[in-house]
Amino acid sequence: GESVGLHLPTLSVQEGDNSIINCAYSNSASDYFIWYKQESGKGPQFIIDIRSNMDKRQGQRVTVLLNKTVKHLSLQIAATQPGDSAVYFCAENMGGGSQGNLIFGKGTKLSVKP
Amino acid sequence: KAGVTQTPRYLIKTRGQQVTLSCSPISGHRSVSWYQQTPGQGLQFLFEYFSETQRNKGNFPGRFSGRQFSNSRSEMNVSTLELGDSALYLCASSSRGPRWETQYFGPGTRLLVL
């Protein structure tokens, strides 16, 4: 499949462990954040989102934490599975609801060891 | 329901040529957005179409253009190709535009410019 990032930071975890993927965003005025998962050969897949009036949001096996003070976003994956191996990247909405206002991070490659 | 489809999946062109990529959104979706993904720049927004009208445009030169047809299918065209245009081009569709969780990506078209 296609390689979406040749020089991405890589996180390697053991199956069953928890994973934490971090993202620093750029604009303190950004009001909406999204995490995407991109598997080899596929397009990005929405995982979870969070608005700036929240600091934590939970989904199925995933939790997103937002720290506006230091402009930091993290994605926690519980009980990581081999199927979680992918590139994960965050996106911030610089303001407004338009698709064009989304700024994407470069991504982190998650590798799950069985 | 069929997902977003993109054709062709792979393409090789030479500098100076032009290329047209096609995207068929999910049935019923009226918003189509195009993105360029490269290892160096990550995922960057090109433009969004909604009901045959360009609703938003990213910061790309005029060589990049697009259009949307009455059946919501979309094409993007790149004229006078440059080596730096080599990338994965992704399109995404959503039901009524900017609802991020409903934006579904296609598998992309991998363009290589020689």
Side-chain angles (χ1 to χ4, degrees):
Chain A
E2 296 89 353
S3 170
V4 299
L6 298 179
H7 305 290
L8 294 174
T10 299
L11 174 65
S12 186
V13 300
Q14 202 71 38
E15 181 179 357
D17 288 351
N18 296 334
S19 303
I20 300 176
I21 301 170
N22 297 304
C23 175
Y25 63 91
S26 59
N27 191 336
S28 56
S30 292
D31 59 0
Y32 183 76
F33 306 88
I34 312 162
W35 278 101
Y36 286 94
K37 170 187 180 183
Q38 188 170 20
E39 297 174 272
S40 182
K42 297 183 180 180
Q45 176 188 358
F46 172 91
I47 303 173
I48 192 168
D49 60 357
I50 188 168
R51 298 197 180 275
S52 59
N53 60 353
M54 304 170 68
D55 53 20
K56 179 179 180 179
R57 190 168 187 216
Q58 289 184 290
Q60 187 177 13
R61 277 201 310 119
V62 295
T63 301
V64 56
L65 299 177
L66 175 63
N67 185 332
K68 293 183 287 295
T69 303
V70 294
K71 293 189 290 184
H72 183 268
L73 198 63
S74 69
L75 176 71
Q76 300 177 0
I77 304 174
T80 314
Q81 302 167 0
D84 295 327
S85 294
V87 174
Y88 291 81
F89 51 92
C90 65
E92 61 180 298
N93 182 2
M94 304 282 279
S98 168
Q99 306 283 9
N101 293 318
L102 271 185
I103 305 296
F104 292 84
K106 298 290 193 297
T108 296
K109 184 176 181 179
L110 176 65
S111 177
V112 182
K113 296 176 288 187
Chain B
K1 190 189 275 194
V4 177
T5 58
Q6 292 185 246
T7 56
R9 290 294 310 277
Y10 303 92
L11 205 49
I12 299 175
K13 292 285 188 179
T14 55
R15 277 182 300 174
Q17 287 187 309
Q18 75 163 12
V19 67
T20 299
L21 312 181
S22 181
C23 172
S24 292
I26 290 172
S27 178
H29 284 190
R30 295 166 63 190
S31 169
V32 174
S33 297
W34 287 91
Y35 297 85
Q36 182 196 67
Q37 188 174 36
T38 60
Q41 298 298 318
L43 222 156
Q44 295 182 286
F45 173 79
L46 280 157
F47 27 67
E48 181 203 1
Y49 286 87
F50 185 84
S51 294
E52 302 179 67
T53 301
Q54 187 179 86
R55 186 154 68 172
N56 207 341
K57 188 176 190 301
N59 190 25
F60 277 81
R63 300 185 297 107
F64 292 81
S65 63
R67 59 177 175 169
Q68 187 179 34
F69 302 95
S70 58
N71 62 357
S72 293
R73 190 178 69 87
S74 178
E75 290 181 345
M76 68 162 282
N77 184 75
V78 188
S79 62
T80 319
L81 283 166
E82 300 176 0
L83 295 180
D85 296 333
S86 294
L88 180 68
Y89 290 89
L90 292 157
C91 85
S93 76
S94 59
S95 56
R96 45 197 164 102
R99 281 283 308 275
W100 318 119
E101 61 194 286
T102 62
Q103 183 176 217
Y104 299 92
F105 282 85
T109 293
R110 171 71 65 184
L111 172 64
L112 177 62
V113 182
L114 302 175

